[in-house]
């Protein structure tokens, strides 16, 4: 079992180690794979940051659904989803439903939530918007 180190630097390392353990085994997508999926039109991107964050910049083609409303959005009837988000509701069997946030935590939560609702193709872009902005921005 991991033991939490002491001090400020130790606490930061501890949080990072826990985050890496949490993502280990989670269905993720890398930046090269995301580029390929986007180029081929095979990915549906969901920006789960706040509306304000997404308005300041997002990955082209992403649909903004803040993580706080994702559960209700994914349980809506297709017509209600379309009316609210001006987009087709994802289907349970859709592949390559990619969730992302700014640094990875909310994207991971969103992916886990979607999978718990039966969206088997849900994945997390672990590099998140931060990596996208740094390398593609």
């Amino acid at each position: 079992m991991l033991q939490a180190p002491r001090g400020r630097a130790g606490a930061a390392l501890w949080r990072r180690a826990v985050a890496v353990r949490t993502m280990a085994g989670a269905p993720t997508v890398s930046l090269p794979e995301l580029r390929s999926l986007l180029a081929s039109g095979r990915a549906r991107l969901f920006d789960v940051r706040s509306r304000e964050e997404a308005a300041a910049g997002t990955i082209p083609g992403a649909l903004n659904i803040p993580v706080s409303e994702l559960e209700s959005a994914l349980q809506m009837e297709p017509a209600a989803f379309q009316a609210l988000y001006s987009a087709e509701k994802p289907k349970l069997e859709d592949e390559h439903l990619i969730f992302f946030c700014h640094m990875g935590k909310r994207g991971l939560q969103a992916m886990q939530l979607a999978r718990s609702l039966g969206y088997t193709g849900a994945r997390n872009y672990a590099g998140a918007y931060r990596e996208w902005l740094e390398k593609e921005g």
Side-chain angles (χ1 to χ4, degrees), residues 37-103:
L37 289 168
L38 290 173
S40 66
R42 296 182 304 146
R44 288 210 46 199
L45 279 177
F46 298 90
D47 184 342
V48 297
R49 299 175 300 153
S50 70
R51 296 199 194 302
E52 295 78 20
E53 288 175 288
T58 192
I59 299 174
L63 176 62
N64 177 232
I65 304 176
V67 72
S68 61
E69 60 187 68
L70 184 64
E71 184 172 10
S72 63
L74 292 178
Q75 293 178 329
M76 287 178 174
E77 291 297 321
F81 186 97
Q82 175 75 40
L84 186 58
Y85 298 107
S86 301
E88 182 182 344
K89 181 183 174 193
K91 296 173 183 63
L92 293 176
E93 64 276 7
D94 284 349
E95 292 187 72
H96 310 300
L97 301 174
I98 313 296
F99 295 88
F100 71 93
C101 60
H102 186 73
M103 296 191 57

Side-chain angles (χ1 to χ4, degrees), residues 9-60:
L13 285 172
W14 172 253
R15 283 191 302 274
R16 179 129 173 111
V18 169
V20 168
R21 278 184 77 197
T22 303
M23 284 190 183
T28 60
V29 61
S30 65
L31 180 58
E33 186 179 6
L34 180 61
R35 283 184 193 127
S36 174
L37 289 168
L38 290 173
S40 66
R42 296 182 304 146
R44 288 210 46 199
L45 279 177
F46 298 90
D47 184 342
V48 297
R49 299 175 300 153
S50 70
R51 296 199 194 302
E52 295 78 20
E53 288 175 288
T58 192
I59 299 174

Side-chain angles (χ1 to χ4, degrees), residues 102 125 128-137:
H102 186 73
Y125 170 35
Y129 185 63
R130 184 169 149 187
E131 179 183 58
W132 180 270
L133 191 59
E134 186 179 292
K135 300 196 173 161
E136 300 291 320

